Amino acid sequence: MAKAYRKEDFDYIMSKVGKVDPRVKEYLEEAGYEKWSRCHAPVNRGRMMTSNITECINGCLVEARVLPILGFLEEVRILFAVWNCKNSEIASYINTTLERRFQEILTDNGVKAAGSYLYCVYESGKRYIVDIERGTCSCCQYQIDEISCAHAIAVLKNMKNWIVPDFVDADEVLPLKYRRPPERPKKGRHLKSSESLTSSNHCGKCGRAGHNRRTCGFFPKES
């Protein structure tokens, strides 16, 4: 239910939840759909997915950050080599240029052009409308994830005469304008504004957390 891309599918599953236990449905409504439902989120997931990939790599390299720079780079090389080897082994069992699901859409159902950028993709008896120019699909996965869905990939694979616009071909990719600070990154993640800050400092007089003996208010300084 939380992973549904279309609101029609979400409403159908929510109605089934209400029949099983109305209290659960009321609790989820009070919590707010925009906080946990994918199709009701106020922002797309592209930025979040990119950030999660970065945080995943950072999490795998936490222990290696204490090493010297050469040792750290060697750990990064070994990590990516293992991932590439595993992915290459999985890809070796695929005989087609696309993954099995994408290939089935092309061979069994087919793709039909409905306009200059509009295409109809048929999958399991259902029709999906893909707009390549706007980057949308009627399954809603394309615009929410901001990553090409299976139907968009089938359309791109089916397009034989791919014409790259001049402004795209002439676009120059430049490096970032901002430089990274000359320090090692912190191991701990940055806390959000909604998260409470906990202090590990304890007072030497009263033993309570959040202050030190110089700013202690329970035992004022003697005059």
Side-chain angles (χ1 to χ4, degrees):
M1 179 170 54
K3 297 181 179 180
Y5 285 96
R6 299 192 305 172
K7 294 184 179 181
E8 295 81 2
D9 300 335
F10 177 87
D11 295 337
Y12 173 73
I13 301 175
M14 181 61 73
S15 63
K16 296 178 64 176
V17 172
K19 294 179 181 179
V20 175
D21 193 343
R23 296 174 299 176
V24 176
K25 183 179 180 181
E26 294 178 359
Y27 173 78
L28 295 176
E29 290 176 350
E30 293 178 358
Y33 293 159
E34 67 280 357
K35 295 181 180 179
W36 56 272
S37 176
R38 178 178 291 173
C39 60
H40 291 86
V43 295
N44 294 336
R45 300 179 65 246
R47 181 178 58 186
M48 181 180 65
M49 293 181 66
T50 305
S51 177
N52 285 345
I53 293 173
T54 305
E55 292 296 337
C56 177
I57 297 176
N58 290 338
C60 296
L61 298 174
V62 169
E63 300 297 333
R65 292 181 184 176
V66 298
L67 299 175
I69 185 64
L70 294 180
F72 175 77
L73 293 177
E74 181 65 17
E75 290 292 331
V76 174
R77 186 191 67 81
I78 295 175
L79 176 65
F80 282 93
V82 171
W83 287 353
N84 291 334
C85 181
K86 182 178 179 180
N87 294 333
S88 299
E89 183 180 359
I90 296 174
S92 63
Y93 296 101
I94 301 176
N95 299 324
T96 59
T97 56
L98 294 177
E99 197 265 335
R100 179 177 58 85
R101 181 191 174 190
F102 305 149
Q103 191 67 29
E104 289 179 353
I105 295 177
L106 285 175
T107 56
D108 299 339
N109 304 299
V111 178
K112 296 182 180 180
S116 300
Y117 298 97
L118 292 177
Y119 292 85
C120 297
V121 181
Y122 297 89
E123 180 187 11
S124 303
K126 296 182 180 180
R127 185 183 66 175
Y128 298 92
I129 306 299
V130 180
D131 190 342
I132 298 298
E133 184 180 15
R134 297 182 178 179
T136 60
C137 180
S138 57
C139 70
C140 298
Q141 182 178 355
Y142 195 179
Q143 52 267 35
I144 292 179
D145 288 349
E146 295 183 349
I147 298 176
S148 301
C149 61
H151 313 108
I153 293 177
V155 170
L156 296 176
K157 181 64 178 180
N158 189 65
M159 295 177 64
K160 299 180 180 179
N161 299 325
W162 181 261
I163 301 176
V164 180
D166 295 336
F167 70 92
V168 175
D169 194 15
D171 193 9
E172 183 180 3
V173 180
L174 300 176
L176 297 176
K177 297 185 298 183
Y178 306 99
R179 296 184 60 184
R180 185 174 180 179
E183 296 180 358
R184 288 182 177 268
K186 297 181 180 180
K187 290 186 177 180
R189 65 180 181 87
H190 296 283
L191 297 179
K192 299 180 181 179
S193 58
S194 59
E195 297 177 339
S196 60
L197 297 176
T198 57
S199 176
S200 59
N201 297 329
H202 289 75
C203 179
K205 292 184 178 180
C206 63
R208 301 188 180 186
H211 64 278
N212 53 25
R213 60 187 304 153
R214 181 177 299 178
T215 59
C216 181
F218 298 94
F219 294 91
K221 296 182 179 181
E222 297 179 358
S223 56

